[in-house]
């Protein structure tokens, strides 16, 4: 029961930035619900996978593939571009905490000088954030390139 409540809370909180960024990108009002749904599905799936012990990078890749597939299907149904749904839905998965931690470590190195501990914190978080961003980009592109192609591969 605790996991279900945590999942619902995570999904509800993830839908807020998805809708916010969709509004910033002037997405039509009729598809805002689907942007929120995509953000909630993606972040919720990543949450469940992380609770199951999957690393955040692989969880992000699976969630990004799911959100991209959802966006393509919704785009076909609602006659809109898939990026309308997918870009705003990916925003909650941006690794803000690792990036901010890496930047704080870099700032501390600027003030105190380079220490091995600060360097390790900066590099670990920067590499983790890079892998998460790469997983988002790869997951966003994979369904369109592999499954929903207009022309056959060969």
């Amino acid at each position: 029961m605790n996991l279900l409540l945590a999942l619902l809370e995570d999904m509800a909180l993830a839908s807020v930035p998805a809708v916010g960024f969709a509004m910033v990108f002037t997405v039509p009002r009729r598809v805002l619900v689907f942007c929120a749904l995509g953000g909630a599905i993606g972040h919720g799936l990543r949450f469940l996978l992380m609770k199951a012990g999957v690393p955040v990078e692989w969880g992000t890749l699976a969630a990004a593939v799911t959100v991209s597939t959802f966006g393509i299907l919704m785009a076909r149904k609602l006659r809109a571009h898939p990026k309308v749904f997918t870009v705003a839905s990916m925003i909650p998965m941006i690794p803000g905490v690792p990036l901010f931690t890496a930047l704080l470590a870099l700032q501390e190195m600027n003030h105190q000088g380079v220490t091995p501990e600060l360097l390790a914190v900066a590099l670990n978080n920067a590499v983790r954030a890079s892998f998460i961003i790469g997983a988002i980009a790869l997951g966003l592109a994979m369904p369109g390139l592999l499954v929903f192609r207009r022309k056959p591969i060969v």
Side-chain angles (χ1 to χ4, degrees), residues 16-29:
V16 174
V19 169
F21 273 89
M23 291 173 73
V24 167
F25 297 140
T26 61
V27 168
R29 185 175 291 176

Side-chain angles (χ1 to χ4, degrees), residues 105-106 108-109 112-125:
L106 287 174
E108 286 296 319
M109 283 193 286
Q112 299 174 0
V114 178
T115 63
E117 295 82 20
L118 285 175
L119 187 61
V121 168
L123 286 177
N124 283 339
N125 285 294

